[in-house]
Amino acid sequence: MKINRNYLKLSENYLFSEVAKRTRDFQVAHPDVAIIKLSIGDVSRPLPAVVVKAMKQACTELGHAKTFHGYGPELGYPWLRAAIADFYREQYQVQLDTDEIVISDGAKSDLSNLLDIFDSQASVAMCNPVYPVYLESNLMLGRTPQFLPATVANQFLPLPDETITADIVYLCNPANPMGVCYNRQQLQLWVNFAREHHAVIIYDAAYACFVSGVDLPRSIYEIDGARECAIEVCSFSKMAGFTGVRCGYTIVPKKLLTRDGVSLNQLWRRRQTTKFNGVSYIVQRGAEAVFTVAGLQAVQKNLAYYRRNVRMIFKTLDELQWSYVGGKHSPYVWVRCPGARGAWECFDFLLNEVGIVCTPGIGFGTAGENYIRLTGFNSYANTRLACQRLLKLKQNKKH
Ligand code: MLT
């Protein structure tokens, strides 16, 4: 048997599977502890009512011969792609053609599947720490990425410099796991760099909905020249509560060409039509409803809910005098481990002392060894309880 031996370079479990496993083991050993999860970025607010209504309606249609749908267009229904294009035009003043947008089952798959359209020898750069999917998808293909350290020294926002030689640069903005956000000038530097070096930016905008403020772009296409060098990957997961429903989209501009004029848009469409049969009609109808007035209002209400949780976490960390970054335009807070602990040590400490599950920073890369990530995605009641428990560490002088 000739297996892909690159898999043997991976850790035994995917980060969030490992966190889940350790949490389960702890729960079995301590059945009385009411664990609170501030770990994986899974939403707690239910789907907007208008989305549920649209999906129910779509389901009903499928049950009648006259309105039944079989295979849909592999790249997504035109009405959903048009709704996304309208949203970009109205919210970001970005003009997209609908055939630049391809609907998928979420950002995670696309961030990895996109590698199919690049040369196996193409070099890759990414932050350290980083969303593990970027790294592990590349390791599976035998690539060794170049890491861009995200540290206190660069405010966790690496910028391009002449040491970077990559053909592909992954950028997540706002960043996962650090929760920090590039501004317009900084993104312009990345776009200029990519154009000068004929590199491609794979821009993960899964958390863009959390960004608000002047000079903080929510799409890479708000930056001059980005259409010539960037692919944007986005998802309905965090924006509209689709973590379990599964829907996302990838934008590959038609202006994105190789030096000899090959269209990456064409390659991606070719890849998807061969390897993917599209997202279900029901789910796409639900996603379309996100862009209605009621849908967008519900989205804002849910985002406000998660932001309030993050503010509560900030207040608690301030009280504990634990240092942290992120969270202002993101659901994630990147916390320096208290007491000079390592990341897994801190994970165990919080689980054992207060029954809180965090994500150990080392799971995102070596630069995360002294950090943990907390999320504002849990319910308000659970987040409040978690904060109260954390404050007890101070009273008990255990922090
Ligand atoms: C995270 O917690 O980093 C993400 O939610 C995981 C994911 O989206 O796959």
Side-chain angles (χ1 to χ4, degrees):
M1 280 178 218
K2 287 196 173 175
I3 56 160
N4 179 351
R5 298 219 148 241
N6 294 315
Y7 277 66
L8 306 183
K9 295 178 201 156
L10 306 173
S11 54
E12 187 184 349
N13 292 317
Y14 179 59
L15 171 62
F16 293 105
S17 315
E18 181 64 28
V19 168
K21 180 178 167 293
R22 292 194 191 203
T23 307
R24 275 194 310 273
D25 291 349
F26 178 86
Q27 189 73 86
V28 169
H30 305 86
D32 298 335
V33 177
I35 291 174
I36 302 175
K37 294 179 185 167
L38 301 183
S39 47
I40 191 166
D42 197 3
V43 291
S44 55
R45 300 298 301 148
L47 293 170
V50 68
V51 169
V52 175
K53 190 171 165 211
M55 291 204 288
K56 278 187 180 165
Q57 168 64 31
C59 203
T60 305
E61 284 175 39
L62 295 187
H64 293 91
K66 274 196 183 149
T67 48
F68 174 74
H69 295 271
Y71 289 124
E74 304 104 312
L75 302 176
Y77 280 96
W79 31 262
L80 176 55
R81 298 159 85 192
I84 294 168
D86 289 347
F87 179 77
Y88 270 65
R89 193 181 55 252
E90 284 156 22
Q91 302 280 325
Y92 308 154
Q93 287 74 53
V94 165
Q95 207 72 37
L96 297 173
D97 287 346
T98 51
D99 56 1
E100 294 179 304
I101 303 165
V102 178
I103 308 301
S104 71
D105 67 345
K108 186 177 184 174
S109 333
D110 282 5
L111 287 162
S112 151
N113 291 338
L114 274 165
L115 295 171
D116 273 8
I117 66 169
F118 294 99
D119 188 287
S120 58
Q121 302 299 314
S123 53
V124 181
M126 61 187 66
C127 291
N128 175 12
V130 76
Y131 180 39
V133 174
Y134 311 165
L135 171 60
E136 296 191 347
S137 308
N138 278 282
L139 290 179
M140 286 170 181
L141 294 174
R143 290 203 184 97
T144 308
Q146 178 178 8
F147 289 116
L148 316 174
T151 61
V152 176
N154 56 19
Q155 285 148 18
F156 301 90
L157 291 166
L159 289 171
D161 65 39
E162 290 311 316
T163 64
I164 303 172
T165 52
D167 301 304
I168 303 167
V169 179
Y170 278 93
L171 289 182
C172 183
N173 193 46
N176 183 11
M178 295 83 76
V180 291
C181 188
Y182 284 112
N183 65 27
R184 187 175 301 276
Q185 291 73 20
Q186 292 167 325
L187 286 176
Q188 188 70 63
L189 292 176
W190 273 115
V191 167
N192 295 349
F193 171 87
R195 293 188 69 193
E196 275 161 32
H197 294 77
H198 214 71
V200 173
I201 295 172
I202 298 183
Y203 188 81
D204 180 353
Y207 301 94
C209 54
F210 281 90
V211 175
S212 64
V214 195
D215 254 355
L216 296 176
R218 286 172 290 167
S219 164
I220 191 69
Y221 305 117
E222 294 178 58
I223 304 298
D224 287 341
R227 283 163 197 276
E228 283 84 18
C229 66
I231 295 174
E232 181 159 309
V233 180
C234 200
S235 155
F236 293 91
S237 285
K238 322 292 164 162
M239 177 194 189
F242 273 49
T243 50
V245 176
R246 308 305 311 150
C247 195
Y249 58 90
T250 284
I251 301 165
V252 188
K254 285 185 280 190
K255 282 190 176 174
L256 184 47
L257 305 172
T258 60
R259 280 189 213 277
D260 55 346
V262 178
S263 158
L264 273 70
N265 175 285
Q266 172 57 24
L267 297 187
W268 180 240
R269 289 150 57 95
R270 189 70 185 79
R271 191 260 175 220
Q272 289 299 83
T273 47
T274 302
K275 294 200 180 184
F276 187 57
N277 252 342
V279 176
S280 86
Y281 175 71
I282 301 167
V283 166
Q284 292 194 59
R285 278 296 185 201
E288 183 194 26
V290 169
F291 298 108
T292 58
V293 172
L296 291 174
Q297 273 170 0
V299 164
Q300 286 311 322
K301 211 168 153 202
N302 287 345
L303 291 174
Y305 179 97
Y306 298 132
R307 287 186 180 116
R308 181 168 68 150
N309 286 347
V310 171
R311 285 198 300 273
M312 202 159 37
I313 293 172
F314 281 170
K315 207 163 161 252
T316 306
L317 295 174
D318 287 341
E319 189 112 345
L320 289 164
Q321 296 182 326
W322 292 3
S323 71
Y324 61 89
V325 293
K328 290 203 177 85
H329 301 280
S330 164
Y332 298 135
V333 188
W334 189 236
V335 186
R336 179 98 192 159
C337 296
R341 292 177 178 87
W344 278 114
E345 197 188 345
C346 191
F347 173 91
D348 289 336
F349 169 71
L350 292 181
L351 194 50
N352 281 292
E353 293 294 333
V354 283
I356 291 173
V357 186
C358 64
T359 310
I362 187 75
F364 298 100
T366 50
E369 171 52 10
N370 293 106
Y371 291 86
I372 55 164
R373 193 193 73 178
L374 299 178
T375 160
F377 275 132
N378 207 320
S379 68
Y380 176 73
N382 276 345
T383 309
R384 199 168 69 151
L385 189 56
C387 289
Q388 285 165 355
R389 290 191 197 171
L390 285 170
L391 288 174
K392 283 211 181 109
L393 290 172
K394 189 178 177 194
Q395 285 154 20
N396 300 341
K397 298 198 176 3
K398 278 202 165 172
H399 68 304

